[in-house]
């Protein structure tokens, strides 16, 4: 029996879902026993040249009043109209699959509850890591683990920009421009380069790692890459590390920690080898230990691949949706950023001796290069205070 | 309501399953709503000092005649008694979760059918890649993809031995002895070092990649690491690659390809950075593109973590087991190994010029080092024939 789906928002990801269905629909049916049928495409635009033109409608009622619809794919983005449509669908018992990290990270608590109350699913594998399976593995394959730590490269745009700065020795501004010209960065890159996109994704990962205890993006301290210079990139050699924008979560004894920050990742760590638009998420579970999930974090087909994984999940579990994965609000409070202890590297060109004095209390270790010291387990607040003393000293997180 | 389980074979993995339940049982119940209860442990031995001693029985009937048992964990290994017990359980509608790659790869077709016929599940995530989620992601998260290619480091023992040879400059024999002393290799290492273990795992991965068309281990050409020398390791620098035992699958136009062989993995490829006992599986899907799954490929807790993921999967889908994942026999034939085309590197100490002549027809490319050539897209058979002409020339697969 056919499973009828509709796509809301026929952009990059939405059109990829339709393309995958055309490309692999037959083998998907052979594998899963589910015939997925695309019935509607809701978009303000027309797509006269698309093979799916006949399915396009501008009238939401054509979608929501269709009694034979099982699954809606929300690839509109944003938290306004997408929010209204998602509530409307879930309230009717229609499962919703999305790649919308903003909506999931801001309204996930409410939307998952509505899904639960109406016996349908709200699935969002594609919201984090693009095509990389990470949400489902965390929920299901790692269910026997307490998640101790997560460190991820979850934004392809910034990782691409950092790789370009390094490989071509160009400034942040030049690299951003190049990324925009090649379609790897948006006209308004703010959400990516300021770490907001990573912040939303980390909110989702942290909430899952805390077994559904919601961590709002607003609680997560996020620093982007827009202030990074070529000096910071050049320092990679001295530090024997790669500078990456890392989304970090830790379930520490004194509470949960979550932040997004440029971080020097030691070259022994696999994350250091993740370059260009690729994403990777390192997960530390108390049974499994360290595992990593790597792949394309963006792009039409990769993201659509993840969306489709959820479509099939929703299809095969129809009538008996996956185990409850509700999020609970207000039950967890992150350790204030200033109080979070971290391992850092502090740079003050050709003045390591001065740094050694200033950070004396933390038994700093000088790097061979002579103008930087490693400080272990210092709070962010103290790092800021002491760097202020060392006029012009810059500190960064390090990940070993 | 409680889900009652029994463990058959209380060895490394079996005991780990009990340990995880003790360690994380409460949070597992909170997360999944399933209270997992360990009722029986079947083993020939007694475990007087184990906290689970009271659950140990030597009488299989205590397990199989228990009317309240939902899931059996088979961690006996081998394809004899484990085979009988698995059939007995599945025939009664009791789901079976296993880490037994030998049994799954040899009798998977029959056992999955019995499970299907009796409305229960036969799950084997832990059979490949130890704790790494790979089976479920292939089946579920990548379901929208046609799997084009798989390249995996799926045997921790051999990867550990190769790392030791490299890091300590010791011979294969010394490294094996060291691995045995440290518990990373068994007294009889044959299955690991001759590639038989990898062959079984590749049989499972290939069958899934071919959408259930069974590939028997016997069809898979497997070459191990027992003939590798320090010269082969030293060559890594010249080749700018790392020598790894790679389980390779390809869904090629002229048919399916699967083999296990020592392979020089270019350092640009993430697989080259996977060392020690770690495993990693690189998967190329026609929608997602390349993705990689990395983690601990063996060990008590990692493997038990994967087993437990399946226990929870079986628990939450009880009554309505996961979509049918039957295997079909006889529907696929691998391309004969001699006819498989591959990219190779051929070494003949200080005689690259001779090699260039012999492999002329394949426009060989000499490496800087002067004593090796790269030959692209040559059949294994032809490579053997031509190397025989170049007295003493050795060829290896390369992976870029």
């Amino acid at each position: 029996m056919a499973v009828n789906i509709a796509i809301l928002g026929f952009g990059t990801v939405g059109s990829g879902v339709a393309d995958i269905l055309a490309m692999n629909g037959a083998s998907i049916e052979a594998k899963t026993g589910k015939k997925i049928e695309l019935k509607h495409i809701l978009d303000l635009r027309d797509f006269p040249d698309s093979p799916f033109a006949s399915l396009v409608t501008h009238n939401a009622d054509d979608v929501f009043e269709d009694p034979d619809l099982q699954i809606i794919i929300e690839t509109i983005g944003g938290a306004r109209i997408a929010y209204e449509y998602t509530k409307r669908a879930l309230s009717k018992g229609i499962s919703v699959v999305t790649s919308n990290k903003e909506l999931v990270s801001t309204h996930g608590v409410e939307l998952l509850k509505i899904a639960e109350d109406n016996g349908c699913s709200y699935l969002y594998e594609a919201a984090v890591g693009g095509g990389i399976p990470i949400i489902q593995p965390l929920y299901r394959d790692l269910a026997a683990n307490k998640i101790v730590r997560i460190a991820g490269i979850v934004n392809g745009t910034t990782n691409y920009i950092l790789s370009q700065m390094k490989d071509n020795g160009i400034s942040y501004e030049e690299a951003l421009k190049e990324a925009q010209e090649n379609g790897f960065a948006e006209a308004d890159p703010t959400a990516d380069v300021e770490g907001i996109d990573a912040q939303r994704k980390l909110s989702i990962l942290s909430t899952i790692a805390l077994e559904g205890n919601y961590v709002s993006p607003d609680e997560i301290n996020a620093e982007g890459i827009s202030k990074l210079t070529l000096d910071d990139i050049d320092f990679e050699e001295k530090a024997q590390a790669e500078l990456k924008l890392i989304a970090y979560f830790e379930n520490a004894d004194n509470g949960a920690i979550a932040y997004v920050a440029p971080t020097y990742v030691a070259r022994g760590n696999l994350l250091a080898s993740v370059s260009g638009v690729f994403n990777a998420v390192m997960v530390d579970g108390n049974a499994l230990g360290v595992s990593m999930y790597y792949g394309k974090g963006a792009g039409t087909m990769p993201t659509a691949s993840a969306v489709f994984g959820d479509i099939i999940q929703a299809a095969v579990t129809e009538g008996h949706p996956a185990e409850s994965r509700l999020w609970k609000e207000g039950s967890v409070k992150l350790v204030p950023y200033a109080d979070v202890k971290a391992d850092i590297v502090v740079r003050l060109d050709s003045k390591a001796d001065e740094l050694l004095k200033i950070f004396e209390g933390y038994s700093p270790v000088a790097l061979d290069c002579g103008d930087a010291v490693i400080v272990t387990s210092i709070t962010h607040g103290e790092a800021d205070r002491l760097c202020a003393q060392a006029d012009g000293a810059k500190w960064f997180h390090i990940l070993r």
Side-chain angles (χ1 to χ4, degrees), chain A residues 166-244:
Chain A
K166 181 196 181 72
D167 300 344
N168 308 328
I170 55 177
S171 71
Y172 163 76
E173 290 71 18
E174 291 170 294
L176 170 59
K177 191 161 167 300
E178 195 270 353
Q180 286 169 319
E181 284 162 4
N182 292 309
F184 293 128
E186 297 181 21
D188 175 0
T190 314
D192 289 320
V193 299
E194 299 306 341
I196 299 165
D197 173 75
Q199 184 186 44
R200 289 168 179 155
K201 290 165 175 170
L202 184 58
S203 142
I204 295 171
L205 291 175
S206 303
T207 300
I208 295 171
L210 291 169
E211 301 175 4
N213 291 302
Y214 177 59
V215 175
S216 159
D218 311 335
E219 299 175 56
I220 296 175
N221 193 90
E223 182 187 343
I225 66 164
S226 60
K227 293 184 190 61
L228 297 179
T229 68
L230 267 177
D231 286 351
D232 302 326
I233 300 292
D234 295 340
F235 186 69
E236 291 178 334
E237 280 314 303
K238 295 177 175 177
Q240 284 300 299
E242 303 292 328
L243 188 56
K244 300 290 182 186

Side-chain angles (χ1 to χ4, degrees), chain A residues 206 248-252 254-259 334-335 340-341 380:
Chain A
S206 303
Y248 186 84
F249 164 85
E250 190 179 336
N251 199 342
N254 60 329
I257 294 167
Y259 57 82
L334 292 183
V335 176
V340 171
K341 286 190 172 175
H380 293 143

Side-chain angles (χ1 to χ4, degrees), chain A residues 58-398:
Chain A
H58 309 310
N59 179 0
D61 292 345
D62 292 346
V63 175
F64 293 101
E65 300 311 321
D66 181 339
D68 302 328
L69 203 62
Q70 282 89 28
I71 304 166
I72 279 177
I73 292 86
E74 183 271 300
T75 49
I76 299 168
R80 291 203 184 80
I81 185 70
Y83 175 52
E84 296 310 321
Y85 282 158
T86 300
K87 278 194 295 188
R88 186 172 172 187
L90 295 173
S91 309
K92 287 171 156 283
I94 300 172
S95 291
V96 175
V97 171
T98 189
S99 59
N100 189 336
K101 60 229 51 154
E102 181 179 356
L103 184 58
V104 174
S105 63
T106 49
H107 296 289
V109 174
E110 176 190 10
L111 295 173
L112 287 162
K113 182 72 169 65
I114 298 176
E116 165 97 347
D117 293 343
N118 293 276
C120 56
S121 304
Y122 184 48
L123 301 170
Y124 47 89
E125 176 63 73
V128 181
I132 307 169
I134 179 62
I135 303 294
Q136 291 291 331
L138 277 174
Y139 265 124
R140 196 196 36 241
D141 304 313
L142 270 64
N145 291 260
K146 178 191 175 195
I147 303 304
V148 181
R149 212 167 73 121
I150 295 174
I153 295 170
V154 293
N155 181 270
T157 300
T158 47
N159 205 52
Y160 176 82
I161 291 173
L162 291 174
S163 295
Q164 292 300 98
M165 288 174 72
K166 181 196 181 72
D167 300 344
N168 308 328
I170 55 177
S171 71
Y172 163 76
E173 290 71 18
E174 291 170 294
L176 170 59
K177 191 161 167 300
E178 195 270 353
Q180 286 169 319
E181 284 162 4
N182 292 309
F184 293 128
E186 297 181 21
D188 175 0
T190 314
D192 289 320
V193 299
E194 299 306 341
I196 299 165
D197 173 75
Q199 184 186 44
R200 289 168 179 155
K201 290 165 175 170
L202 184 58
S203 142
I204 295 171
L205 291 175
S206 303
T207 300
I208 295 171
L210 291 169
E211 301 175 4
N213 291 302
Y214 177 59
V215 175
S216 159
D218 311 335
E219 299 175 56
I220 296 175
N221 193 90
E223 182 187 343
I225 66 164
S226 60
K227 293 184 190 61
L228 297 179
T229 68
L230 267 177
D231 286 351
D232 302 326
I233 300 292
D234 295 340
F235 186 69
E236 291 178 334
E237 280 314 303
K238 295 177 175 177
Q240 284 300 299
E242 303 292 328
L243 188 56
K244 300 290 182 186
L245 184 65
I246 295 292
Y248 186 84
F249 164 85
E250 190 179 336
N251 199 342
D253 305 336
N254 60 329
I257 294 167
Y259 57 82
V260 176
T263 302
Y264 285 101
V265 181
R267 288 180 178 162
N269 186 319
L270 262 190
L271 285 174
S273 309
V274 176
S275 50
V277 294
F278 278 86
N279 281 197
V281 181
M282 189 85 76
V283 179
D284 196 343
N286 73 339
L288 172 53
V290 166
S291 60
M292 191 179 92
Y293 310 82
Y294 164 92
K296 295 203 175 123
T300 301
M301 295 307 262
T303 310
S305 165
V307 168
F308 228 107
D310 278 348
I311 293 173
I312 293 164
Q313 168 81 356
V316 296
T317 58
E318 219 209 330
H320 42 77
E323 62 273 26
S324 171
R325 291 172 178 175
L326 290 176
W327 290 359
K328 301 169 284 296
E329 206 146 13
S331 38
V332 67
K333 194 108 200 60
L334 292 183
V335 176
Y337 191 65
D339 304 341
V340 171
K341 286 190 172 175
D343 297 350
I344 65 171
V345 59
V346 189
R347 276 162 49 204
L348 184 60
D349 298 348
S350 62
K351 290 197 200 155
D353 48 350
E354 185 178 323
L355 289 175
L356 288 170
K357 273 195 231 75
I358 294 175
F359 286 88
E360 215 168 12
Y362 296 90
S363 46
V365 179
L367 287 195
D368 306 340
C369 54
D371 58 2
V373 298
I374 299 275
V375 180
T376 304
S377 189
I378 181 172
T379 66
H380 293 143
E382 188 68 349
D384 288 338
R385 195 177 66 74
L386 294 176
C387 275
Q389 289 181 28
D391 189 28
K394 250 177 140 174
W395 72 265
F396 288 91
H397 288 90
I398 55 179

